């Protein structure tokens, strides 16, 4: 096996371990994953591929590409959890190889940069976590890489001062159009945040010293314009007919909801401008505390390396624009993670074996080692975790001791074997980062099953639906029972103060409520009760609800 093939298999194996761990040890997580599965299920049940629905109403918060891909797999394999949970993670795997491809375009003569960048991406904890979850940002990351690969391809269409390679030039703009267009179908126009700065401000990463590889300003911006129009055609190919079919409110939501409203802060994750800056040590851990990388960044040739400026513009542009948005979440930064990985991979080419000192690896490894030892201690003394857990049940035991001990041993062993080769240290950090996420799954699996698995409630709701009994959810319903219960009809939603009136109209009905107080379900007679996300999820019939209707308002 040659070196390139070995890297390919190593990246795939690392991804496979992460995803397999999540599939085995973690349920489909509410409220996001269960919501997306519910939308996919309603699309499957209704056969309406144009307008997504949730609980019988149009769903405008996300475009349909993820739901289409889930339905495509179900058409082949039948409705099942496995396919649905593999769709988004598959884009995480593809992003590793797209990062490698882009590194080859940016630095064709640097084998170290080409193989280091994917390893850095595999070691970013943000990637390790999100690549196991059914999230739109993983898809956006892939399409951003596809789009910017097109930009790099077009920029090198006149390599070494020769004639313009028109085929390569056109291929670049096709990739940019497809990347932006399908990125919009993945999560909306936010894909432009990560792609347009690099394409529009190309003179910032072009250097006067590389005039021989420039394709001409006029040709460049004609290509950018054509690509944007092409991407608009792809996105509007769905948006226009779905807007006509979904009605005025749905049309307004899909054209404005993911743009102006997100900037204006009408979403539920409003945070200050400096939030991403404060979160950067977490988002880019462990690399951001690795001294060898900072040494490489200081030595990088920012003035004469267009690839370095390319990735820096991508990273800085995304950071500034995302910071300007009021709506902020950690995973929104994921499509910028490959930019950091590429920049780090190139920076490491400036670091030789003498500069990659073994002690520098200890700094990012120390937090991992401390966590490993902490898991061992908490497994032996679970009472120590009670103050940290709050109302959540403590489920630490032998599996925690084993997971923590094995992880601590891996940290120590990998640190000792890494040596002074920069690439080997990168691989060591990537493996430990992935192992950390695996260990967390092992430790948390019992609690996740106990606090987040909704299959038993959904099966009860399914039986009620088949019996023809009305079901209502008190509060905001996010579709968390529709996929698990394979429900065919919408669930009513009622306000807590209107529960008695709803039962008066539906005497055979059942109401579902998430109680904050354990006392509201203790010593009463709910049809079903279980802990859920630190609260108590209960099903009530008319008789049980009328005994104390005030419990639905607190």
């Amino acid at each position: 096996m040659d070196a390139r093939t070995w890297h390919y298999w190593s990246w795939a194996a690392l991804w496979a371990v992460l995803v397999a761990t999540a599939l085995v040890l973690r349920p489909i997580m509410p409220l996001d994953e269960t919501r997306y599965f519910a939308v996919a299920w309603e699309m499957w049940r209704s056969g309406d591929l144009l307008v997504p629905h949730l609980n019988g109403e149009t769903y405008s918060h996300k475009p349909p590409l993820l739901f289409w891909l889930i339905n495509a797999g179900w058409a082949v394999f039948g409705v099942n959890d496995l396919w649905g949970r593999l769709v988004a993670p598959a884009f995480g795997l593809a992003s590793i190889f797209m990062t490698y491809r882009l590194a080859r375009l940016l630095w064709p003569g640097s084998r170290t940069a080409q193989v280091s960048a994917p390893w850095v991406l595999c070691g970013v904890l943000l990637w390790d976590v999100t690549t196991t979850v059914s999230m739109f940002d993983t898809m956006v990351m892939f399409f951003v890489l596809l789009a910017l690969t097109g930009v790099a391809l077009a920029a090198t269409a006149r390599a070494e001062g020769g004639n313009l390679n028109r085929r390569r030039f056109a291929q670049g703009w096709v990739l940019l159009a497809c990347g932006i267009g399908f990125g919009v179908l993945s999560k909306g126009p936010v894909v432009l945040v990560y792609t347009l700065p690099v394409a529009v401000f190309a003179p910032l990463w072009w250097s006067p010293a590389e005039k021989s590889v420039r394709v001409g300003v006029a040709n460049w911006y004609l290509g950018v314009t054509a690509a944007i129009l092409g991407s608009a055609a792809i996105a509007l190919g769905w948006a226009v007919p779905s807007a006509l079919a979904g009605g005025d409110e749905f049309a307004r939501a899909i054209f404005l909801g993911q743009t102006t409203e997100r900037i204006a802060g009408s979403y539920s994750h409003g945070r200050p401008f400096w939030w991403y800056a404060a979160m950067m040590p977490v988002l880019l851990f462990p690399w951001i505390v690795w001294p060898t990388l900072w040494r490489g960044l200081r030595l990088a040739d920012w003035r004469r390396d267009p690839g370095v400026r390319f990735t820096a513009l991508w990273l800085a542009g995304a950071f500034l624009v995302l910071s300007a948005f009021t709506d902020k979440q950690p995973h929104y930064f994921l499509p910028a993670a490959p930019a950091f990985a590429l920049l780090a991979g190139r920076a490491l080419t400036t670091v030789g074996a003498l500069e990659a000192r073994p002690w520098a690896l200890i700094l990012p490894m120390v937090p991992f080692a401390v966590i490993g030892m902490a898991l061992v201690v908490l497994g032996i003394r679970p009472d120590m975790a009670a103050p940290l857990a709050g109302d959540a049940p403590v489920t630490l035991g032998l599996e925690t001791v084993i997971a923590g001990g094995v992880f601590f041993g891996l940290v120590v062993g990998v640190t000792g074997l890494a040596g002074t080769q920069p690439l080997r240290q990168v691989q060591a950090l990537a493996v430990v980062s992935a192992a950390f996420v695996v260990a967390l799954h092992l430790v948390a699996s019992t609690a996740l099953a106990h606090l987040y698995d909704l299959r038993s409630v959904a099966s009860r709701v399914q039986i009620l639906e088949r019996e023809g009994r009305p079901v209502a959810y008190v509060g905001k319903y996010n579709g968390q029972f529709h996929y698990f219960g394979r429900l065919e009809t919408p669930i009513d939603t009622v306000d807590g103060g209107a529960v008695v009136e709803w039962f008066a109209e539906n005497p055979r009905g059942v109401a579902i409520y998430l109680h904050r107080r354990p006392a509201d379900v203790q010593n009463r007679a709910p049809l079903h009760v279980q802990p859920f996300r630190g609260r108590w999820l209960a099903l009530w019939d008319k008789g049980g609800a009328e005994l104390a209707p005030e419990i639905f308002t607190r």
Side-chain angles (χ1 to χ4, degrees):
M1 182 185 298
D2 61 27
R4 180 184 298 180
T5 304
W6 182 88
H7 287 295
Y8 289 168
W9 282 107
S10 298
W11 300 330
L14 189 146
W15 172 88
V17 169
L18 284 168
V19 173
T21 300
L23 291 175
V24 173
L25 299 178
R26 190 182 71 211
I28 298 174
M29 293 292 289
L31 297 168
D32 288 337
E33 283 191 303
T34 51
R35 181 193 300 118
Y36 306 147
F37 270 78
V39 175
W41 163 249
E42 293 205 33
M43 182 176 285
W44 172 265
R45 183 188 59 79
S46 67
D48 185 356
L49 298 176
L50 196 58
V51 181
H53 288 80
L54 177 64
N55 197 37
E57 298 182 356
T58 56
Y59 180 74
S60 59
H61 294 280
K62 295 295 185 296
L65 185 58
L66 176 64
F67 314 130
W68 286 345
L69 295 174
I70 292 175
N71 273 255
W74 284 350
V76 178
F77 305 109
V79 178
N80 66 89
D81 295 358
L82 179 61
W83 171 262
R85 297 185 71 180
L86 284 176
V87 171
F91 285 91
L93 175 62
S95 295
I96 300 173
F97 292 94
M98 286 301 299
T99 300
Y100 173 73
R101 171 61 176 155
L102 184 51
R104 292 186 65 187
L105 284 171
L106 295 176
W107 304 290
S110 177
R111 180 67 178 162
T112 300
Q114 294 167 15
V115 298
S116 295
W119 278 111
V120 172
L121 181 61
C122 289
V124 174
L125 275 181
L126 179 64
W127 181 90
D128 289 330
V129 173
T130 52
T131 199
T132 68
V133 186
S134 295
M135 301 185 73
F136 302 93
D137 304 272
T138 314
M139 302 170 64
V140 175
M141 174 175 59
F142 169 80
F143 288 117
V144 166
L145 281 162
L146 182 68
L148 294 183
T149 296
V151 172
L153 196 66
T156 56
R158 197 195 295 272
E160 298 179 359
N163 295 326
L164 179 66
N165 186 330
R166 297 188 180 278
R167 181 177 180 181
R168 185 184 183 95
F169 194 60
Q171 286 176 342
W173 301 126
V174 169
L175 290 181
L176 178 60
C178 290
I180 294 177
F182 287 105
V184 171
L185 291 179
S186 297
K187 201 185 174 183
V190 71
V191 66
L192 298 173
V193 170
Y194 313 96
T195 54
L196 277 193
V198 179
V200 172
F201 297 107
L204 294 181
W205 51 271
W206 272 334
S207 167
E210 290 104 28
K211 287 184 178 179
S212 61
V213 301
R214 293 175 60 173
V215 296
V217 173
N219 284 341
W220 181 265
Y221 286 108
L222 284 174
V224 171
T225 302
I228 292 175
L229 292 175
S231 67
I234 293 172
L236 293 174
W238 164 75
V240 171
S242 66
L244 295 174
D248 293 341
E249 185 176 349
F250 179 75
R252 187 201 67 80
I254 63 173
F255 284 113
L256 297 177
Q258 290 295 316
T259 51
T260 58
E261 291 181 2
R262 185 177 298 277
I263 298 171
S266 62
Y267 282 69
S268 57
H269 307 296
R271 293 185 170 101
F273 178 86
W274 48 261
W275 188 80
Y276 278 116
M279 286 293 294
M280 207 55 61
V282 178
L283 296 176
L284 298 179
F285 190 83
W287 309 109
I288 204 163
V289 295
W290 185 33
T292 302
L293 175 59
W294 288 104
R295 182 179 297 110
L297 289 172
R298 286 197 304 269
L299 297 174
D301 193 348
W302 295 78
R303 188 174 64 87
R304 290 185 294 181
D305 191 330
V308 169
R309 295 192 301 276
F310 178 104
T311 52
L313 180 59
W314 173 5
L315 183 63
F319 172 79
L320 291 174
V321 176
L322 291 174
S323 295
F325 288 176
T326 303
D327 197 44
K328 297 180 179 71
Q329 283 282 73
H331 52 271
Y332 296 171
F333 192 75
L334 182 65
F340 173 80
L342 288 158
L343 187 60
R346 180 56 171 172
L348 291 173
T349 63
T350 66
V351 180
L354 293 177
E355 288 83 12
R357 302 179 181 94
W359 63 262
L361 192 61
I362 295 175
L363 184 59
M365 288 294 191
V366 165
F368 287 128
V370 170
I371 291 172
M373 287 303 300
L375 292 176
V376 173
V377 172
L378 292 176
I380 297 173
R381 291 284 308 278
D383 57 293
M384 297 176 64
L388 301 174
D391 296 331
V394 178
T395 55
L396 303 177
L398 181 60
E399 70 279 3
T400 305
V401 176
I402 295 173
V406 171
F407 179 65
F408 178 80
L410 177 67
V411 172
V412 174
V414 167
T415 303
L417 294 174
T420 60
Q421 291 286 341
L423 180 56
R424 292 191 64 180
Q425 291 191 6
V426 169
Q427 293 166 343
L429 282 169
V431 169
V432 169
S433 296
F436 171 68
V437 175
V438 171
L440 288 184
H441 276 89
L442 290 168
V443 171
S445 59
T446 303
L448 290 174
H450 187 65
L451 294 175
Y452 290 89
D453 196 338
L454 292 173
R455 284 175 290 189
S456 61
V457 179
S459 64
R460 297 293 296 268
V461 176
Q462 182 186 58
I463 293 171
L464 294 170
E465 182 186 67
R466 290 176 178 176
E467 292 175 349
R469 300 179 65 179
V471 178
Y473 190 87
V474 183
K476 183 180 179 180
Y477 177 59
N478 288 281
Q480 53 265 45
F481 311 123
H482 258 74
Y483 171 73
F484 285 137
R486 304 296 194 267
L487 304 184
E488 300 286 336
T489 57
I491 289 178
D492 293 339
T493 55
V494 297
D495 183 77
V499 172
V500 173
E501 290 80 358
W502 184 84
F503 273 116
E505 298 175 2
N506 303 276
R508 296 181 63 246
V510 173
I512 307 171
Y513 187 56
L514 189 60
H515 298 272
R516 293 175 175 84
R517 303 181 182 181
D520 289 343
V521 296
Q522 294 170 350
N523 302 319
R524 301 188 191 277
L527 300 178
H528 177 89
V529 63
Q530 71 174 59
F532 178 64
R533 301 179 70 191
R535 300 182 183 181
W536 298 90
L537 187 64
L539 276 66
W540 300 90
D541 62 7
K542 185 175 186 292
E546 289 182 341
L547 292 175
E550 67 275 6
I551 65 176
F552 297 99
T553 59
R554 62 191 184 199

